[in-house]
Amino acid sequence: DTGVSQNPRHKITKRGQNVTFRCDPISEHNRLYWYRQTLGQGPEFLTYFQNEAQLEKSRLLSDRFSAERPKGSFSTLEIQRTEQGDSAMYLCASSLDSATNEKLFFGSGTQLSVL
Amino acid sequence: DAKTTQPTSMDCAEGRAANLPCNHSTISGNEYVYWYRQIHSQGPQYIIHGLKNNETNEMASLIITEDRKSSTLILPHATLRDTAVYYCIVRVAGANNLFFGTGTRLTVIP
């Protein structure tokens, strides 16, 4: 069990550029979540996948945000035309589908700084 | 999902029990109580969850009141490494989301 892996750990970009983050979940986990966290706040839910299906995306912050999980394994989160307000920690979590005993395992996140 | 209310911050002496309260007065019958914690610069970590019975694992105990309107997370012997933000969350089992609040910042004092 290598845990949830997120890359890169840090990303610095200029306003207006596109950025993409990658999340590799724990290998047998079929559920995958993305969160955003700003300083002093709890993680903010963005989107959720079950296998390759994106079952919840109403919380994505704007149409500049999109996520994919093409083969039901790794996932990517893309932010187009970045703004300074997008600066935050982006967290990924994965879990096994278990109705009553689900435990989310989080990665260490990607810290985005938009200059 | 039902809302939760937690104190903003708490202190606990090293080696003593840390008791973290959570109010969830609007909890529904099919909602579980989950606790996660987040140590600085790391992703959140699952601690424990329960429906109505008290639960214990290697990390902590969860005490849920009989009316399920509140709960307490107990760390029996707090260490400095338990300093973290603790989140109490109520959630329908298997829901397509998990919503965090602002949590309780626990500081364990030497």
Side-chain angles (χ1 to χ4, degrees):
Chain A
D1 178 4
T2 57
V4 177
S5 177
Q6 291 190 246
N7 288 288
R9 288 295 311 275
H10 304 274
K11 178 69 176 179
I12 300 173
T13 192
K14 293 183 179 179
R15 190 176 52 187
Q17 297 294 305
N18 299 345
V19 294
T20 300
F21 311 137
R22 178 178 170 122
C23 172
D24 287 274
I26 294 171
S27 58
E28 67 270 23
H29 284 186
N30 59 340
R31 294 165 71 103
L32 189 145
Y33 302 76
W34 282 99
Y35 286 82
R36 181 179 83 158
Q37 187 171 25
T38 54
L39 201 61
Q41 301 298 312
E44 179 184 11
F45 171 80
L46 295 178
T47 190
Y48 158 74
F49 290 87
Q50 180 150 348
N51 299 308
E52 67 277 9
Q54 191 174 12
L55 298 184
E56 174 58 71
K57 57 182 179 180
S58 64
R59 298 290 182 133
L60 285 169
L61 300 164
S62 78
D63 58 7
R64 298 184 296 107
F65 287 71
S66 63
E68 293 183 341
R69 194 181 184 199
K71 297 182 180 179
S73 57
F74 74 92
S75 176
T76 57
L77 177 69
E78 181 182 18
I79 308 174
Q80 295 182 329
R81 305 181 303 280
T82 53
E83 302 172 356
Q84 287 185 324
D86 297 332
S87 295
M89 175 73 78
Y90 290 85
L91 293 161
C92 173
S94 71
S95 73
L96 272 175
D97 189 357
S98 171
T100 61
N101 198 34
E102 183 181 8
K103 305 171 187 176
L104 271 64
F105 292 82
F106 282 81
S108 296
T110 294
Q111 181 67 52
L112 173 66
S113 297
V114 182
L115 304 179
Chain B
D1 291 332
K3 300 290 186 185
T4 62
T5 304
Q6 300 178 252
T8 302
S9 64
M10 294 180 63
D11 293 338
C12 178
E14 188 179 16
R16 303 296 294 270
N19 297 282
L20 291 90
C22 180
N23 287 322
H24 32 79
S25 59
T26 61
I27 192 170
S28 300
N30 63 346
E31 288 183 310
Y32 285 69
V33 180
Y34 285 81
W35 284 84
Y36 283 76
R37 74 179 183 183
Q38 188 171 23
I39 296 170
H40 183 62
S41 298
Q42 297 181 21
Q45 175 190 27
Y46 167 85
I47 301 174
I48 198 166
H49 75 285
L51 182 61
K52 54 183 178 181
N53 297 323
N54 297 338
E55 302 287 345
T56 295
N57 63 21
E58 66 279 3
M59 291 184 68
S61 295
L62 173 61
I63 308 298
I64 303 173
T65 57
E66 191 169 347
D67 64 7
R68 302 210 320 125
K69 293 184 177 182
S70 66
S71 60
T72 302
L73 179 74
I74 301 172
L75 308 178
H77 305 285
T79 71
L80 299 179
R81 287 174 295 181
D82 292 322
T83 292
V85 178
Y86 287 77
Y87 297 98
C88 170
I89 302 162
V90 293
R91 177 188 191 225
V92 174
N96 294 344
N97 48 52
L98 182 72
F99 295 114
F100 289 78
T102 52
T104 296
R105 181 172 299 279
L106 175 70
T107 303
V108 180
I109 302 168

